[in-house]
Amino acid sequence: MLYFIKKSKKILAILLTIPLLTIYHTQAQSVTANDNNILSLSMECPNNPQCIYSGQDPFLLDILITNNSDQNIEIPLEAIRAYLSESYLKDIQTGEPVGPVTPPGLPLTDLLKKLTLLPAHTSHVTRAEFSKKGIKKAFKKAHSNRIAFYKSIVTSIHYQGSKEPIGSYENGKFERKSFVLEAEKVITKK
């Protein structure tokens, strides 16, 4: 009889634990259509809303990663800066690069673990600086007086405090969701 009671307690404990784990994973990892809009990428020229280049050195451009959700999230910001992004100046007419291309680098797993808090409805701003020589060279290669700065980021997102990134379970295996953010800003030569 004692053996039966011990086995019953173990079975009861397992039966109670399974629904709790399912609820935890469902809340922490669920991916919905709205998740695609959690983060956005945009650019603006500080103190120069039309992004007009008139010889200033350096030419400045602010890159904004914005949390559009109602929840605090965490992103691997150092990894994004180190290797999860691509950027270049391109000709508006042809779409071809007219400046150096910064391709994504090789993954550094340690940087993926360093997460930076991005509170709900806030932006993280990174400033890009273009030297007078570099931007003049880009305009010289372009077919018009307009070029665009293109930026692309691929990243994972964690809800604040979650050990796992946003993702979903497929065939019993967890798959992290990669968020692809793209933006470009047109720069006009005066």
Side-chain angles (χ1 to χ4, degrees), residues 1 7-8 24 48 55 82 95 110 116 173 177 187:
M1 183 71 164
K7 280 290 187 190
S8 297
Y24 170 76
N48 184 359
D110 291 344
T116 301
K173 185 178 175 192
K177 178 171 174 49
I187 304 166

Side-chain angles (χ1 to χ4, degrees), residues 144-165:
S144 72
N145 67 339
R146 293 166 34 110
I147 58 176
F149 179 65
Y150 170 81
K151 183 84 169 171
S152 171
I153 294 172
V154 178
T155 187
S156 59
I157 300 172
H158 294 247
Y159 287 119
Q160 186 179 14
S162 174
K163 291 181 182 179
E164 294 290 334

Side-chain angles (χ1 to χ4, degrees), residues 108-119:
L108 304 169
T109 335
D110 291 344
L111 290 182
L112 282 174
K113 295 175 185 173
K114 293 182 180 181
L115 299 175
T116 301
L117 177 66
L118 189 55

Side-chain angles (χ1 to χ4, degrees), residues 119-137:
H121 303 289
T122 62
S123 297
H124 173 78
V125 180
T126 302
R127 183 156 283 174
E129 294 185 10
F130 302 93
S131 70
K132 186 175 187 175
K133 182 180 177 183
I135 204 158
K136 277 182 141 180
K137 196 184 249 186

Side-chain angles (χ1 to χ4, degrees), residues 168-175:
S168 60
Y169 284 91
E170 296 193 22
N171 300 325
K173 185 178 175 192
F174 178 73
E175 297 289 332

Side-chain angles (χ1 to χ4, degrees), residues 18-32:
I18 291 173
L20 291 174
L21 289 175
T22 305
I23 290 168
Y24 170 76
H25 283 294
T26 303
Q27 288 176 346
Q29 311 308 331
S30 95
V31 177
T32 66

Side-chain angles (χ1 to χ4, degrees), residues 13-175:
I14 290 171
L15 290 175
L16 290 174
T17 305
I18 291 173
L20 291 174
L21 289 175
T22 305
I23 290 168
Y24 170 76
H25 283 294
T26 303
Q27 288 176 346
Q29 311 308 331
S30 95
V31 177
T32 66
N34 290 336
D35 286 337
N36 292 327
N37 300 319
I38 290 175
L39 273 185
S40 62
L41 184 67
S42 61
M43 291 183 264
E44 56 189 42
C45 296
N47 304 319
N48 184 359
Q50 287 81 30
C51 271
I52 296 176
Y53 173 70
S54 58
Q56 59 268 47
D57 190 25
F59 182 78
L60 304 175
L61 194 64
D62 286 344
I63 302 162
L64 292 85
I65 300 173
T66 304
N67 176 359
N68 300 310
S69 74
D70 295 329
Q71 293 184 303
N72 294 342
I73 60 172
E74 296 173 322
I75 57 174
L77 194 57
E78 288 185 42
I80 290 170
R81 287 182 186 143
Y83 70 90
L84 294 176
S85 65
E86 174 184 24
S87 59
Y88 56 89
L89 290 166
K90 70 178 189 176
D91 187 333
I92 291 289
Q93 290 182 352
T94 65
E96 295 295 317
V98 291
V101 176
T102 306
L106 296 173
L108 304 169
T109 335
D110 291 344
L111 290 182
L112 282 174
K113 295 175 185 173
K114 293 182 180 181
L115 299 175
T116 301
L117 177 66
L118 189 55
H121 303 289
T122 62
S123 297
H124 173 78
V125 180
T126 302
R127 183 156 283 174
E129 294 185 10
F130 302 93
S131 70
K132 186 175 187 175
K133 182 180 177 183
I135 204 158
K136 277 182 141 180
K137 196 184 249 186
F139 274 114
K140 206 173 227 181
K141 289 182 181 178
H143 291 90
S144 72
N145 67 339
R146 293 166 34 110
I147 58 176
F149 179 65
Y150 170 81
K151 183 84 169 171
S152 171
I153 294 172
V154 178
T155 187
S156 59
I157 300 172
H158 294 247
Y159 287 119
Q160 186 179 14
S162 174
K163 291 181 182 179
E164 294 290 334
I166 294 173
S168 60
Y169 284 91
E170 296 193 22
N171 300 325
K173 185 178 175 192
F174 178 73
E175 297 289 332

